[in-house]
Amino acid sequence: MAITNFIPEIWSARLLENLRKNLVFTNIVNRDYEGEVRFGNTVRINNVGPISVFDYARNQDLPEPEMIDGNQRMLVIDQAKAFNFLIDDIDAAQANVNLMDNAMREAAYALADVADQYIASMYVHAQNAIGDDTTPITPSAQDAYEVLVDASIKLDENNIPRTGRIAIVPPWFYGLLLKDDRFVKYTESGQSVLRTGQVGQAAGFEIFISNNVANTDGAKYKIICGHPMAITYADQIEKVEAYRPEKRFADAVKGLHVYGAKVIRPEALVVITANKS
C-alpha cells in the first residue's frame, strides 16, 4: 500500500506551533554569579555585614578599622535536565518542513519551562507572607490592588529598593487587576511593555503574568513579589550533541541543561497565598 502522500500531512499537523506559557520567573532573579558552571559545582557567595558610622572630629585619630564581618552562602548547581530525540531519515526525506529546527525549538522551550517552574518554587524561602495554606486570602476585584500594596509595604519595612520590584501573578489575579481603574489607567497611560509576560505596573511592581505560578492542592496560588536581589540563579547548557543512533537510520540530538538557584535575601521576597475568588 502506497503511503507517499500520508507522512507529509501528518508531520505538517504535528508541527503546528504549540501553545506556550510565558516563561518569566528569570525576571525575578539575579545572575550576579553566572559563569562557567557544571553540574555539582558550588558557587560561594559572600555576604558583607553592616558597617558602623562614627562622628568625625578634626585633628583626632580615627578609631581602629572595623573588621568586615561576612558569611558565605552556597549556590549549588544541583539541577540537571536533558532531552534526547531522533528524526527518522524516511520522515525527514518525505516531510516538507524543517523538522530538526522545529524539534530543537521545542526542546529549548521544554528545558526553559522546567527551569521556570523551579524558580517559581523558591517561594518557600520568602521571609514575608500574606496568607498561608491554612488561611489563604481570597482577593476580589475590589481589593486585589490593595494586596499588592500590602506586599510593597512589607518590602519597604525591610529597606528593599523600590526600583526594580516585580510581581508574578496567575491569569485570574491579573483579571482582577483589570477590573481596577488604578491599574487600567496606568496601563493606558502609555507605559510600554518591554518583556515577555509583562502586562503593566501596580503598587510599585512590574506585573508579569504566568501559568507557572506555583500552587498547592491545585487551589492555593503562591504569588511571588519581590526584588531580583533576593534570588541568585546560574545555569549552563552543558552539552548539545548530534549523533546517528547505531540501530536506526536517523538523526538524533541530545542536550543537557544544568542550573541552580539560591534565595540569598529572603527579606526581599513576599509570598501571597491566594485562592481564586
Side-chain angles (χ1 to χ4, degrees):
M1 179 174 62
I3 58 171
T4 305
N5 297 322
F6 181 64
I7 294 179
E9 293 179 2
I10 291 181
W11 276 113
S12 295
R14 290 182 177 176
L15 286 173
L16 289 173
E17 190 72 15
N18 286 338
L19 297 176
R20 296 185 173 188
K21 296 174 282 186
N22 288 323
L23 308 182
V24 303
F25 277 89
T26 51
N27 290 296
I28 204 168
V29 304
N30 68 76
R31 296 174 179 265
D32 294 345
Y33 305 96
E34 191 90 332
E36 291 295 321
V37 297
R38 294 288 184 268
F39 183 70
N41 284 175
T42 298
V43 180
R44 298 179 182 273
I45 303 170
N46 291 306
N47 286 350
V48 177
I51 296 177
S52 302
V53 175
F54 53 85
D55 291 331
Y56 172 76
R58 189 175 58 181
N59 296 326
Q60 291 189 15
D61 293 340
L62 299 177
E64 290 298 316
E66 184 177 14
M67 179 69 72
I68 295 296
D69 181 19
N71 56 69
Q72 286 189 335
R73 299 190 183 186
M74 308 301 181
L75 167 60
V76 181
I77 309 302
D78 57 357
Q79 302 294 306
K81 307 297 180 183
F83 66 85
N84 186 19
F85 66 85
L86 64 80
I87 296 175
D88 192 279
D89 288 350
I90 294 176
D91 295 329
Q94 295 198 44
N96 58 358
V97 291
N98 193 329
L99 301 182
M100 186 60 73
D101 283 351
N102 280 279
M104 285 297 296
R105 193 158 51 243
E106 290 299 326
Y109 174 81
L111 290 177
D113 187 35
V114 172
D116 203 59
Q117 294 174 52
Y118 172 71
I119 297 171
S121 72
M122 294 290 107
Y123 76 85
V124 298
H125 303 294
Q127 180 175 301
N128 310 286
I130 297 174
D132 54 39
D133 284 344
T134 304
T135 56
I137 67 168
T138 305
S140 66
Q142 288 70 43
D143 62 13
Y145 193 97
E146 274 76 18
V147 172
L148 294 179
V149 171
D150 292 341
S152 183
I153 290 172
K154 287 183 178 293
L155 297 178
D156 288 341
E157 291 172 344
N158 285 312
N159 300 315
I160 305 305
R162 290 190 172 187
T163 57
R165 292 181 182 181
I166 289 172
I168 303 178
V169 305
W172 63 265
F173 192 95
Y174 171 57
L176 297 178
L177 291 176
L178 285 174
K179 298 176 183 178
D180 191 307
D181 286 343
R182 289 167 293 183
F183 179 75
V184 174
K185 288 179 180 178
Y186 189 90
T187 302
E188 292 177 345
S189 66
Q191 300 297 319
S192 59
V193 177
L194 300 177
R195 288 179 278 182
T196 300
Q198 187 177 354
V199 292
Q201 296 193 10
F205 293 103
E206 295 179 26
I207 307 299
F208 288 78
I209 184 173
S210 173
N211 277 321
N212 278 342
V213 173
N215 66 76
T216 57
D217 303 327
K220 302 178 182 71
Y221 286 80
K222 302 294 183 176
I223 299 171
I224 292 180
C225 305
H227 194 282
M229 69 166 59
I231 307 173
T232 287
Y233 173 77
D235 73 334
Q236 181 78 15
I237 300 296
E238 191 162 312
K239 298 281 187 181
V240 176
E241 296 180 1
Y243 66 102
R244 296 282 294 180
E246 180 182 357
K247 297 182 178 181
R248 294 289 185 97
F249 293 107
D251 288 321
V253 179
K254 56 186 176 181
L256 175 62
H257 182 212
V258 301
Y259 54 92
K262 178 78 172 181
V263 175
I264 58 173
R265 298 290 298 272
E267 69 274 18
L269 280 183
V270 182
V271 57
I272 301 169
T273 302
N275 285 338
K276 290 184 180 181
S277 55

